[in-house]
Amino acid sequence: VDRVKFVLYKPPYEPLLDATYVKKLDKGLTGDALKRRARGHVRQWSMLIECFRALSNLEAAIGQTYRTVARLREDTYFPEKVHARVMAKKADEGFVVVSKCDSWSGMNDKAALFPRRNAPTFFTAPFQEYYLRTRGTVRSNNIDNPETFLYHVLRQSGLRFHTVHPRIMVPIPFRLLSVSGKFCLKLKTDCPLMRAPQETRNLINQNRCRL
């Protein structure tokens, strides 16, 4: 890595919500708790637009266009090496490369690798579709979480997906437990442990969030 650019972005605190999307969320939440979860999703999609703006500005500054783009959610932990070259080959073929784990009938939204030409769609389509409803995604498909929303929006916008085994890439969301940096891994299924070496299994299980 020879260039790092930090961008401070403050997402909207209370973005407008689509009542249909809120109603379809499957988390067993009600009232304000359900709305807080939905607002968190909208904030993520607003941050994607800011990511694309920052990417475009950086390319203009260096006078070059990137070949491949990686999008990593800020709360993602990788217990193993990511085999980026394997993924980049599929990205060169035009695919959005994501983990097969925890897709919840949609796409894993923790990490993705894709060709630069797909960046405008990947970064802007979710937020635009949520508000403009050009394709009526929320109402016409079985949308009950952000993973299914992202999958249907991006697929209907022309993007193709390729999923990889957890030994190629295994993104796991984490939760900070203290200001000292102590964290736990929010493991919802055992998919990330599939064919994992014992060292990785121990690392994940020792740091797994406890109810």
Side-chain angles (χ1 to χ4, degrees):
V1 176
D2 61 3
R3 187 181 298 268
V4 177
K5 181 177 178 61
F6 292 96
V7 178
L8 180 62
Y9 171 66
K10 186 177 181 180
Y13 181 69
E14 288 193 353
L16 294 175
L17 296 177
D18 183 305
T20 301
Y21 180 81
V22 175
K23 184 178 180 180
K24 286 187 172 185
L25 288 180
D26 65 345
K27 282 297 179 179
L29 303 174
T30 59
D32 290 342
L34 187 59
K35 291 180 180 179
R36 281 196 298 271
R37 177 167 177 76
R39 289 192 183 102
H41 300 162
V42 179
R43 291 189 195 103
Q44 288 181 34
W45 304 330
S46 75
M47 285 190 282
L48 289 181
I49 290 183
E50 187 62 27
C51 283
F52 182 58
R53 182 179 294 112
L55 170 66
S56 300
N57 290 341
L58 182 58
E59 289 177 331
I62 64 177
Q64 294 180 316
T65 300
Y66 289 102
R67 173 179 171 180
T68 309
V69 177
R71 186 264 171 168
L72 312 177
R73 222 172 76 174
E74 71 278 5
D75 62 343
T76 299
Y77 178 85
F78 295 92
E80 288 184 353
K81 172 185 175 181
V82 176
H83 294 269
R85 290 186 178 180
V86 174
M87 297 169 60
K89 288 182 180 179
K90 299 305 296 185
D92 283 345
E93 296 174 17
F95 290 99
V96 175
V97 186
V98 295
S99 171
K100 70 178 295 184
C101 292
D102 302 336
S103 62
W104 307 111
S105 300
M107 59 166 279
N108 185 302
D109 65 346
K110 309 303 182 296
L113 195 76
F114 46 91
R116 173 60 177 83
R117 64 180 180 274
N118 288 354
T121 299
F122 186 95
F123 285 122
T124 66
F127 190 79
Q128 291 177 348
E129 175 59 26
Y130 185 80
Y131 283 117
L132 298 180
R133 306 172 186 171
T134 305
R135 302 178 186 277
T137 304
V138 169
R139 290 160 178 77
S140 62
N141 295 291
N142 184 23
I143 306 299
D144 56 10
N145 54 43
E147 291 86 358
T148 51
F149 177 78
L150 287 172
Y151 173 76
H152 284 293
V153 168
L154 297 179
R155 186 175 63 84
Q156 291 172 354
S157 298
L159 300 191
R160 298 180 297 155
F161 293 91
H162 177 79
T163 58
V164 294
H165 192 277
R167 302 287 67 81
I168 300 297
M169 177 180 68
V170 55
I172 303 175
F174 69 86
R175 176 185 296 125
L176 285 177
L177 300 176
S178 68
V179 294
S180 65
K182 185 175 177 57
F183 67 94
C184 69
L185 300 176
K186 297 189 288 185
L187 208 66
K188 297 181 180 179
T189 70
D190 286 331
C191 180
L193 297 171
M194 189 184 304
R195 290 168 52 189
Q198 192 60 47
E199 182 180 5
T200 299
R201 287 177 169 269
N202 293 341
L203 174 64
I204 293 175
N205 286 323
Q206 289 169 6
N207 293 283
R208 197 167 187 166
C209 294
R210 310 299 176 186
L211 295 178

